[in-house]
Amino acid sequence: QVQLVESGGGLVQPGGSLRLSCAASGSIARIDAMGWYRQAPGKERDLVATIINGGSTRYADSVKGRFTISRDYAKNTVYLQMNSLKPEDTAVYYCNARVVKATLPFNSADYWGQGTQVTVSP
């Protein structure tokens, strides 16, 4: 099995910063991509940022210039540095990883973390 464990959420004032972390563990042969998604109440889960092997990144337009995604390949960990936070960034943030498993049938699959709450409020 593969597990993703997120940390770093919380309550922050507008203009503040938070850093999210997500560590993947388990039967992992390779991780092809990692990313962050978020879901606000009553809304769908949307892409925030992704990073693929080789370091290419992609961001939602709403977070470009404020959020930075990075990855520690040795630790199978992805980070999301969030600066200049706005109330509209309030959501549950989910980590995602596309994993090639190290056990039969050695397939590739998407895994999700349990989510971490980020609340931006005065």
Side-chain angles (χ1 to χ4, degrees), residues 5-119:
V5 178
E6 300 136 336
S7 61
L11 173 64
V12 64
Q13 292 185 342
S17 297
L18 282 174
R19 189 190 194 212
L20 305 183
S21 300
C22 171
S25 62
S27 180
I28 299 172
R30 186 179 75 244
I31 299 178
D32 290 335
M34 300 188 81
W36 292 94
Y37 293 71
R38 66 187 181 187
Q39 187 167 19
K43 296 188 176 182
E44 295 185 350
R45 189 176 298 187
D46 293 325
L47 169 73
V48 176
T50 60
I51 183 167
I52 64 173
N53 287 348
S56 294
T57 58
R58 183 161 66 107
Y59 296 91
D61 287 343
S62 59
V63 307
K64 284 180 181 177
R66 299 188 299 122
F67 291 9
T68 302
I69 189 169
S70 60
R71 185 175 159 187
D72 185 326
Y73 289 85
K75 295 181 179 179
N76 284 337
T77 298
V78 65
Y79 305 96
L80 186 68
Q81 178 67 43
M82 304 185 293
N83 299 329
S84 302
L85 282 160
K86 305 175 181 180
E88 51 263 44
D89 295 318
T90 296
V92 177
Y93 283 69
Y94 295 92
C95 174
N96 170 269
R98 177 153 294 178
V99 175
V100 176
K101 293 183 68 176
T103 55
L104 288 170
F106 307 116
N107 58 305
S108 175
D110 281 338
Y111 293 88
W112 293 90
Q114 78 285 359
T116 184
Q117 177 70 46
V118 171
T119 302

